[in-house]
């Protein structure tokens, strides 16, 4: 009897030791898997408890709860919905950022602040100090749109656009990157012939904080004949041209290796100086082909043969005009994002379209430019390339499936509003396969 009891006890001891050893082995194998699998690989994603991202005043019915998986990064993002269609497109882009982030292990903490006309109505100024302070302390800033008929007759310092200039100056962002690519799905939406538009892929690098928009003296007065006059000053210092030129050369080096500097050096001293400095900086980039073009010719060539351009660098006012022109080659200004970057601190990311007050609140806005601006925020602002590519691929997939807002609609596609377009992009973002563009 005693022998039987001892045998049973020994059997139980060995059984539990066996279970413990197997459990230990499984745990060690799991540790090895997690150690060797890349943190960015979709195969390594681990489900955690659902996490409600920081809530803002964006309507609750448009807020989503996502599961943050194997969180590796956390970022503070300032949202500036602004005016007109701004709140609508920012709401959609926020949802897309949330989902793309959760799938790549990124947590976002959003803070929404007033700016532009909305800030004027709330505080009496277009850029409240609290808004600028919050933006400076964040990792990146995503802007919707500013302006509207309501504030058009305000004095200059009380116009929404003044707030945007103040924001750029406050964040010290001087390089504005505006890509213009004709997507295969939208080539028929371009106003140019298919053979002219097809394959266009260019980048406009615009100097953002100098030139005639900021130069002094400026103002109103009277001339020697007693007539009223208005005047502005186009002025650039060497360091301003040098730093934007280096950004442009670096951008061109990563693209097709061709840079076209646009100026008006046959007439303007400021442009003569611009060209002189760009040529000097070119010595640092012997692998990049540099050409020069007068702005009037560049405006014509953009519609005549846009495929000749790879990267364009130009001053503030020329860049403002040429980038809008380039946007229409793609079929709609509602498709183009932009990034504004400085030497340090948060970048500013925004669609290049305006506030479109005529369609505000009607669910007609195209949110894709803002969604793609969010992708640029991830790529250029935070270095989160995989999440950015996931969003870019989702936009292409949504277009492949035939969904179109009114500005890019053509027969045979499905006409949808801003919210539905956002929902369709979310479905594409949530695909289980890793993004690859």
């Amino acid at each position: 009897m005693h022998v039987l009891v001892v045998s049973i006890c020994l059997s139980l001891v060995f059984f539990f030791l066996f279970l413990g050893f197997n459990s230990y082995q499984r745990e060690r194998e799991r540790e090895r898997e997690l150690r060797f699998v890349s943190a960015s690989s979709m195969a390594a994603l681990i489900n955690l408890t659902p996490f409600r991202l920081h809530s803002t005043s964006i309507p609750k019915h448009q807020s989503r709860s996502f599961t943050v998986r194997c969180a590796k990064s956390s970022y503070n993002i300032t949202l500036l919905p602004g005016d007109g269609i701004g709140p609508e497109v920012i709401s959609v882009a926020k949802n897309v950022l949330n989902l793309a982030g959760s799938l790549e292990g990124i947590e976002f903490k959003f803070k929404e602040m007033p700016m532009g006309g909305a800030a004027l109505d709330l505080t009496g100024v277009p850029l409240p100090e609290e808004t600028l302070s919050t933006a400076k302390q964040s990792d990146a800033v995503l802007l919707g749109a500013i302006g509207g008929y309501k504030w058009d007759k305000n004095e200059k310092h009380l116009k929404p656009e003044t707030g945007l200039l103040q924001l750029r100056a406050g964040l010290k962002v001087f390089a504005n990157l505006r890509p213009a690519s004709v997507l295969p799905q939208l080539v028929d939406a371009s106003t140019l012939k298919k053979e002219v538009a097809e394959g266009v892929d260019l980048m406009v690098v615009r100097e953002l904080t100098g030139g005639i928009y900021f130069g002094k003296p400026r103002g109103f007065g009277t001339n020697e004949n007693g007539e009223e006059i208005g005047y502005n000053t186009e002025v650039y210092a060497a360091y301003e041209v040098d730093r934007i030129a280096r950004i442009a050369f670096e951008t061109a080096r990563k693209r097709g290796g061709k840079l076209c500097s646009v100026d008006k050096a046959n007439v303007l001293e400021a442009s003569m100086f611009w060209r002189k400095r760009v040529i000097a900086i070119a010595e640092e980039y012997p692998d990049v082909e540099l050409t020069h073009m007068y702005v009037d010719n560049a405006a014509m060539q953009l519609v005549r043969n846009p495929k000749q351009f790879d990267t364009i660098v130009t001053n503030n006012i020329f860049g403002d005009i040429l980038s809008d022109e380039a946007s229409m080659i793609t079929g709609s200004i509602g498709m183009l994002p932009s990034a504004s970057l400085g030497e340090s601190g948060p970048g500013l990311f925004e669609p290049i379209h305006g506030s479109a007050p005529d369609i505000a609140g009607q669910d007609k806005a195209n949110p894709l430019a803002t969604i793609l601006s969010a992708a640029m925020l991830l790529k250029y602002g935070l270095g989160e390339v995989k999440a950015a590519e996931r969003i870019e691929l989702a936009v292409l997939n949504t277009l492949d499936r035939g969904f179109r807002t009114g500005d890019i609609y053509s027969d045979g596609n499905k006409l949808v509003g801003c919210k539905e377009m956002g929902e369709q992009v979310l479905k594409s973002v949530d695909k289980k396969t890793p993004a690859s563009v």
Side-chain angles (χ1 to χ4, degrees):
M1 182 68 178
H2 289 295
V3 174
L4 180 61
V5 170
V6 170
S7 297
I8 293 171
C9 289
L10 286 173
S11 297
L12 289 171
V13 168
F14 283 120
F15 176 70
F16 285 114
L17 284 172
F18 175 75
L19 287 178
F21 180 71
N22 275 355
S23 176
Y24 171 78
Q25 275 192 317
R26 285 195 300 271
E27 190 60 33
R28 297 299 296 170
E29 286 172 3
R30 180 163 182 76
E31 287 179 7
R32 283 195 295 271
E33 286 175 6
L34 291 176
R35 189 179 300 121
F36 288 107
V37 174
S38 166
S40 63
S41 170
M42 292 304 297
L45 294 178
I46 302 171
N47 285 310
L48 301 178
T49 3
F51 178 82
R52 172 72 69 176
L53 293 171
H54 181 77
S55 176
T56 70
S57 59
I58 289 175
K60 289 184 178 179
H61 73 276
Q62 295 181 26
S63 181
R64 288 170 164 259
S65 179
F66 301 113
T67 301
V68 176
R69 303 173 181 176
C70 199
K72 62 187 177 187
S73 305
S74 178
Y75 300 105
N76 295 313
I77 307 297
T78 298
L79 298 177
L80 304 176
D83 311 317
I85 62 173
E88 299 171 62
V89 295
I90 284 290
S91 175
V92 170
K94 178 193 171 188
N95 285 339
V96 173
L97 266 177
N98 270 346
L99 182 55
S102 73
L103 292 169
E104 297 293 344
I106 305 167
E107 174 189 343
F108 294 110
K109 297 177 181 177
F110 296 101
K111 190 164 185 181
E112 183 180 333
M113 301 298 292
M115 184 189 162
L120 280 165
D121 291 347
L122 281 173
T123 68
V125 294
L127 182 67
E129 183 57 41
E130 185 181 358
T131 296
L132 180 57
S133 176
T134 299
K136 285 181 175 180
Q137 294 171 29
S138 62
D139 295 301
V141 181
L142 184 62
L143 170 66
I146 53 100
Y149 306 131
K150 179 179 180 181
W151 307 282
D152 277 352
K153 294 183 180 180
N154 286 15
E155 293 183 32
K156 183 173 180 290
H157 70 286
L158 294 178
K159 286 182 178 290
E161 294 78 7
T162 298
L164 180 57
L165 296 179
Q166 292 171 343
L167 179 66
R168 290 170 177 168
L171 293 177
K172 297 180 180 179
V173 292
F174 64 86
N176 183 228
L177 277 61
R178 292 189 172 190
S181 300
V182 177
L183 303 178
Q185 302 91 333
L186 297 179
V187 66
D188 292 328
S190 175
T191 53
L192 299 182
K193 293 179 180 179
K194 184 175 181 178
E195 60 269 24
V196 175
E198 196 167 32
V200 170
D201 179 18
L202 62 90
M203 175 78 78
V204 178
V205 180
R206 169 192 173 194
E207 200 289 321
L208 201 59
T209 56
I212 201 167
Y213 288 175
F214 292 90
K216 294 180 180 179
R218 60 188 299 157
F220 303 95
T222 54
N223 62 16
E224 61 275 12
N225 298 322
E227 298 171 319
E228 284 187 292
I229 60 170
Y231 54 94
N232 295 87
T233 302
E234 169 77 357
V235 57
Y236 273 105
Y239 81 93
E240 292 176 302
V241 183
D242 291 358
R243 66 184 183 180
I244 194 65
R246 288 192 175 96
I247 292 288
F249 276 108
E250 292 289 347
T251 302
R253 175 180 276 173
K254 295 172 184 175
R255 289 172 51 85
K258 294 169 58 180
L259 178 63
C260 179
S261 177
V262 174
D263 56 41
K264 192 61 177 170
N266 58 334
V267 175
L268 302 176
E269 284 79 4
S271 277
M272 297 173 194
F273 180 70
W274 175 283
R275 184 174 291 203
K276 174 185 174 182
R277 294 308 311 162
V278 171
I279 291 172
I281 298 301
E283 295 179 5
E284 301 172 18
Y285 300 89
D287 54 323
V288 177
E289 177 188 339
L290 174 65
T291 58
H292 303 274
M293 191 174 289
Y294 297 143
V295 64
D296 44 353
N297 186 30
M300 184 265 289
Q301 293 294 336
L302 269 174
V303 293
R304 176 182 173 272
N305 180 22
K307 285 196 282 282
Q308 69 182 282
F309 297 106
D310 175 63
T311 305
I312 294 173
V313 63
T314 190
N315 68 11
N316 204 340
I317 188 169
F318 297 162
D320 193 3
I321 297 165
L322 293 178
S323 58
D324 277 4
E325 180 186 3
S327 73
M328 290 313 300
I329 299 170
T330 69
S332 172
I333 200 170
M335 288 298 300
L336 297 190
S338 74
S340 299
L341 308 171
E343 292 174 333
S344 61
L348 173 64
F349 303 86
E350 58 180 308
I352 74 168
H353 62 65
S355 61
D358 291 342
I359 61 170
Q362 300 175 42
D363 194 35
K364 292 182 178 180
N366 184 346
L368 294 182
T370 312
I371 292 171
L372 291 171
S373 294
M376 292 190 80
L377 181 154
L378 288 165
K379 184 179 291 184
Y380 294 100
L382 306 179
E384 297 287 356
V385 176
K386 277 190 169 293
E389 290 178 344
R390 182 174 285 278
I391 291 176
E392 292 166 353
L393 186 65
V395 169
L396 292 177
N397 179 264
T398 302
L399 293 172
D400 277 339
R401 293 186 289 120
F403 294 96
R404 303 285 190 274
T405 47
D407 57 314
I408 55 175
Y409 176 77
S410 59
D411 291 341
N413 294 304
K414 183 178 179 181
L415 180 64
V416 296
C418 181
K419 293 176 185 176
E420 177 64 18
M421 181 65 89
E423 290 297 323
Q424 294 302 325
V425 173
L426 286 172
K427 289 179 182 178
S428 295
V429 169
D430 204 19
K431 282 181 173 287
K432 302 306 179 185
T433 53
S436 176
V437 176

